[in-house]
Amino acid sequence: MSFDYHSVAGDYQYRALHSGHPMQRFWHRGKLAMIDELLRPHLKADSRVLEVGCGAGNLLVQASAPGSYPIGLDLSLQALTFVRARLRELESDSEPIRGFACVQSVGETLPFADHTVDSAILSEVIEHLEAPQASIREATRVLRPGGRLLVTTPNYRSLWPLIEWTVDRLNMAPKMGGEQHISRFDPVSLMDLMRECGLHAEYFGTIYSLSPFASMLSPRLAMKQLAGELKRRSSLGMILVAVGVKA
């Protein structure tokens, strides 16, 4: 692993969501809408929700339904410390979660028994891995039958390579090309990987085709555009989105 993930602040994604550049704020806000559309409707009061590579916990917190048991897993202790504080706040909410866990580990060897998780999230994680199939298989292993795995990753058959190059040149985020992003996916290769790992595709599409650019004009317009992208399931967006169900 050439990139030092411990060098990234534990609250990086949280700050990007709340105080970043307008497009950066939308980029992170749009993923919350994705969770609401694709995962939250399937979560119940006793659901166990695992996010592998949780970072600052934006998606895990969004997926934490009242009465659920969220599990944040990351390599970074800084990130886990930040997520732990956020989940403690949810424990004292008016509709609290029923506990949580924060675990320092990697997705290739999850420290959980088979069939113990109802939903899992791997959001923009697999592109960082030399053997992404190992993390998909591990997430599938810990899912209960009928459980869902949500995977997102950059779409290298879209405008994403240009965006990645621009972000790296302007130092808008920790360097991605050639350092963080070492595995590349397109719609066909991600679908094949999910299928090989024993998952049935419940949803497959992309987000962030035009919506990030619309965010420069109007956040409301951008969110409307994003809702349409989620429904259209096209292959043109910069981020691939797949939900696989375990048989």
Side-chain angles (χ1 to χ4, degrees), residues 119-135:
S119 294
I121 303 167
L122 275 162
S123 182
E124 283 156 71
V125 169
I126 60 174
E127 66 271 16
H128 299 265
L129 307 175
E130 293 181 0
Q133 65 274 16
S135 288

Side-chain angles (χ1 to χ4, degrees), residues 103-181:
V103 181
Q104 186 183 31
S105 189
V106 293
E108 295 91 337
T109 53
L110 294 176
F112 309 115
D114 297 355
H115 317 309
T116 52
V117 171
D118 297 288
S119 294
I121 303 167
L122 275 162
S123 182
E124 283 156 71
V125 169
I126 60 174
E127 66 271 16
H128 299 265
L129 307 175
E130 293 181 0
Q133 65 274 16
S135 288
I136 300 273
R137 288 199 180 99
E138 272 291 273
T140 304
R141 176 184 66 79
V142 302
L143 281 176
R144 294 186 174 115
R148 288 169 173 81
L149 173 62
L150 170 63
V151 177
T152 75
T153 191
N155 178 11
Y156 280 88
R157 287 190 181 171
S158 71
L159 286 175
W160 172 258
L162 176 60
I163 295 297
E164 183 179 82
W165 182 89
T166 302
V167 168
D168 283 349
R169 292 305 178 276
L170 296 178
N171 294 314
M172 294 172 66
K175 192 171 189 303
M176 295 182 285
E179 291 192 17
Q180 292 194 69
H181 294 178

Side-chain angles (χ1 to χ4, degrees), residues 15-35:
R15 287 187 290 107
L17 171 64
H18 292 284
S19 59
H21 182 275
M23 187 181 289
Q24 189 180 38
R25 292 199 303 271
F26 168 75
W27 193 274
H28 289 270
R29 188 179 302 120
K31 294 175 191 174
L32 306 186
M34 174 192 71
I35 292 291

Side-chain angles (χ1 to χ4, degrees), residues 42-229:
H42 305 289
L43 299 177
K44 298 177 287 188
D46 60 348
S47 294
R48 294 174 65 88
V49 184
L50 166 67
E51 184 175 10
V52 178
C54 62
N58 292 346
L59 303 191
L60 184 62
V61 168
Q62 192 73 11
S64 297
S68 65
Y69 189 91
I71 305 166
L73 183 141
D74 206 283
L75 188 61
S76 167
L77 280 176
Q78 293 183 74
L80 292 174
T81 299
F82 187 74
V83 172
R84 187 176 292 112
R86 298 186 71 184
L87 294 174
R88 280 180 180 148
E89 289 182 3
L90 292 184
E91 279 191 311
S92 58
D93 195 73
S94 59
E95 295 184 293
I97 58 176
R98 65 174 179 88
F100 67 87
C102 291
V103 181
Q104 186 183 31
S105 189
V106 293
E108 295 91 337
T109 53
L110 294 176
F112 309 115
D114 297 355
H115 317 309
T116 52
V117 171
D118 297 288
S119 294
I121 303 167
L122 275 162
S123 182
E124 283 156 71
V125 169
I126 60 174
E127 66 271 16
H128 299 265
L129 307 175
E130 293 181 0
Q133 65 274 16
S135 288
I136 300 273
R137 288 199 180 99
E138 272 291 273
T140 304
R141 176 184 66 79
V142 302
L143 281 176
R144 294 186 174 115
R148 288 169 173 81
L149 173 62
L150 170 63
V151 177
T152 75
T153 191
N155 178 11
Y156 280 88
R157 287 190 181 171
S158 71
L159 286 175
W160 172 258
L162 176 60
I163 295 297
E164 183 179 82
W165 182 89
T166 302
V167 168
D168 283 349
R169 292 305 178 276
L170 296 178
N171 294 314
M172 294 172 66
K175 192 171 189 303
M176 295 182 285
E179 291 192 17
Q180 292 194 69
H181 294 178
I182 57 177
S183 291
R184 297 187 171 195
F185 291 90
D186 57 47
V188 173
S189 61
L190 181 59
M191 277 290 289
D192 287 346
L193 177 57
M194 300 280 281
R195 193 178 301 113
E196 289 167 8
C197 292
L199 294 164
H200 166 72
E202 178 179 74
Y203 177 95
F204 194 89
T206 65
I207 56 174
Y208 302 156
S209 52
L210 297 177
S211 56
F213 306 103
S215 71
M216 302 295 291
L217 301 174
S218 164
R220 182 178 297 180
L221 175 63
M223 291 304 293
K224 184 177 180 180
Q225 176 68 31
L226 174 64
E229 291 169 0

